[in-house]
Amino acid sequence: MVYKLKNINVTYGQKQVLHHISCSIEKGKWISIIGQTGAGKSTFVKVLKGLVSFQGDYELNGQPVKQDSKGNIGVIPEIGFVFQYPEHQLFETTVEKELSFALKHKDMTKTVILDRISTILPMVNLSEDILPLAPFQLSGGQKRRVAIASVLMTKPEVLIVDEPTAGLDPINRTNLLQQLKNWQHKTKGTILFVSHQMEDVAQYSDEVMLFHRGYLMGHFPVETLFLKKSSLLKQAGLALPESIQLLQLVEELSGENIQVTSCKEADIFAKVIPILKARGLDDE
C-alpha cells in the first residue's frame, strides 16, 4: 500500500506546525523521521495515522481519504502506532490479556489469538513463559517489547515507533532495534522510526525524512543524506553520526577521498581502520 500526502498543513491554535508537506511512503522500507525537538516529526506521523486534523490531500493506493469538515479522517487501521514509553500504557493484569486485548474486541476466537501470540512473541525475543505474569513483574526492556508486541498483534502494514529506545540501556536498545528490523524483513512491513539518535538512523534506515521548523527539507536514501548532503543536517541543527564524523576526520588527516557506499558503522570502520593503521594513527 502506498500512502501519499500532498500539501499537508497542520495548525494548533494560532501556530502552524506543519507547512506544505508532500511525500510518499512505500511498502517495505525503514524510514527514519529526524529533526530537532519541535520540528514537526511527531505531528507528521500522527497525520499519517489519522490522529490529528489537517488541511491537504491524503491518498491510499491512489484513492483519496475522505475528510470531515474539520479536517479529520479517522484512524488508519493498517498503521500501528507505538508511542514513546509505550510500557506506560500497559494496563491488563497479565501479559496474555494485554496481548489479547485488541483482537478480543475484533471478536477473534481464543485459538486464533493464541496462535498469533505464539507467532509474535519470537519476533520481539520473548517466550510464552511470560504470558501469565503481570506486566509490572517484567524488566523495563521486556515491558517495552510487550507493548510493541501488542501493536504487532494487529498485523499492521506500517509500524510507527516514536523514540522507541528512549530510556533503554545500550544492550536493550540494540536488541529492540534489531527485533524491529527482523519484523520488517519477515513481514515486508514498513517502519517509520522517529528518533534523535543519528547512529541508529545510519545503522538501520533505508530512507530518511528530514524535518526543520515544520517543513520537510527532503526525503532521501540514507546514504545520500549522510554521505552527500550532510550540510542539510547542519542547517537543521543536527549532528552527523559519529562514524561519519570519523570518516570525515580521517579524510582530512590523510588527504584521501575515502569511497564508501554504506552508512553502517562496521562498513565505515572497515574503510577507515586500514588507513589509520597504515599511518600509525590507530591505538595499537
Side-chain angles (χ1 to χ4, degrees):
M1 184 172 288
V2 179
Y3 300 78
K4 188 173 183 179
L5 305 182
K6 185 177 180 181
N7 198 31
I8 298 296
N9 296 277
V10 175
T11 302
Y12 293 152
Q14 300 298 315
K15 182 180 180 181
Q16 187 166 349
V17 294
L18 286 183
H19 304 263
H20 316 298
I21 306 298
S22 297
C23 64
S24 293
I25 305 296
E26 298 185 4
K27 185 178 180 180
K29 303 285 188 180
W30 181 302
I31 304 173
S32 290
I33 315 295
I34 65 173
Q36 288 190 320
T37 301
K41 307 183 299 298
S42 293
T43 300
F44 168 72
V45 293
K46 287 176 182 177
V47 168
L48 279 172
K49 175 63 177 172
L51 298 177
V52 297
S53 61
F54 62 89
Q55 297 77 46
D57 298 317
Y58 191 150
E59 293 182 359
L60 295 180
N61 279 349
Q63 299 300 312
V65 178
K66 293 182 179 180
Q67 292 178 261
D68 63 22
S69 60
K70 295 182 179 180
N72 298 302
I73 61 172
V75 296
I76 305 296
E78 295 84 3
I79 298 178
F81 201 126
V82 180
F83 292 90
Q84 194 175 45
Y85 298 108
E87 63 272 21
H88 294 170
Q89 298 167 356
L90 300 177
F91 61 90
E92 283 285 5
T93 55
T94 68
V95 172
E96 181 178 338
K97 289 181 179 179
E98 187 70 43
L99 296 176
S100 304
F101 180 80
L103 299 190
K104 280 184 176 179
H105 287 74
K106 293 184 178 182
D107 296 325
M108 291 190 179
T109 66
K110 185 171 183 178
T111 300
V112 171
I113 292 172
L114 290 177
D115 182 64
R116 192 169 295 185
I117 287 175
S118 67
T119 300
I120 295 297
L121 285 180
M123 292 185 185
V124 292
N125 197 26
L126 292 172
S127 74
E128 296 187 20
D129 294 340
I130 70 167
L131 291 177
L133 300 181
F136 72 83
Q137 295 178 270
L138 306 179
S139 69
Q142 287 175 319
K143 289 178 183 177
R144 185 77 52 95
R145 282 178 277 151
V146 166
I148 291 173
S150 68
V151 176
L152 297 183
M153 287 287 292
T154 64
K155 291 188 175 182
E157 293 183 354
V158 175
L159 181 65
I160 296 171
V161 284
D162 192 350
E163 300 283 359
T165 61
L168 295 182
D169 61 64
I171 293 176
N172 275 316
R173 169 183 151 195
T174 299
N175 288 342
L176 178 58
L177 291 173
Q178 190 56 56
Q179 288 147 17
L180 289 172
K181 195 70 174 177
N182 292 343
W183 172 83
Q184 181 203 1
H185 284 158
K186 186 176 180 65
T187 65
K188 308 301 181 186
T190 301
I191 288 179
L192 295 181
F193 175 61
V194 181
S195 180
H196 288 94
Q197 298 291 334
M198 293 301 104
E199 286 72 28
D200 295 340
V201 171
Q203 186 70 21
Y204 294 96
S205 304
D206 300 304
E207 301 174 356
V208 183
M209 301 179 72
L210 175 59
F211 282 80
H212 183 51
R213 296 179 179 175
Y215 291 90
L216 177 60
M217 296 183 70
H219 183 172
F220 309 98
V222 62
E223 294 83 9
T224 298
L225 178 59
F226 287 137
L227 299 176
K228 297 179 181 179
K229 295 184 177 292
S230 59
S231 61
L232 290 176
L233 290 170
K234 185 175 182 180
Q235 292 178 35
L238 299 174
L240 278 168
E242 292 180 356
S243 58
I244 306 295
Q245 293 183 46
L246 176 62
L247 172 68
Q248 293 181 348
L249 177 60
V250 174
E251 285 184 326
E252 183 180 342
L253 292 174
S254 67
E256 296 187 34
N257 181 17
I258 304 172
Q259 297 298 316
V260 295
T261 58
S262 167
C263 292
K264 291 181 171 56
E265 188 175 86
D267 297 329
I268 297 291
F269 287 171
K271 293 284 188 176
V272 166
I273 290 175
I275 295 173
L276 292 175
K277 286 184 175 180
R279 293 177 173 271
L281 297 173
D282 62 306
D283 291 331
E284 298 181 1

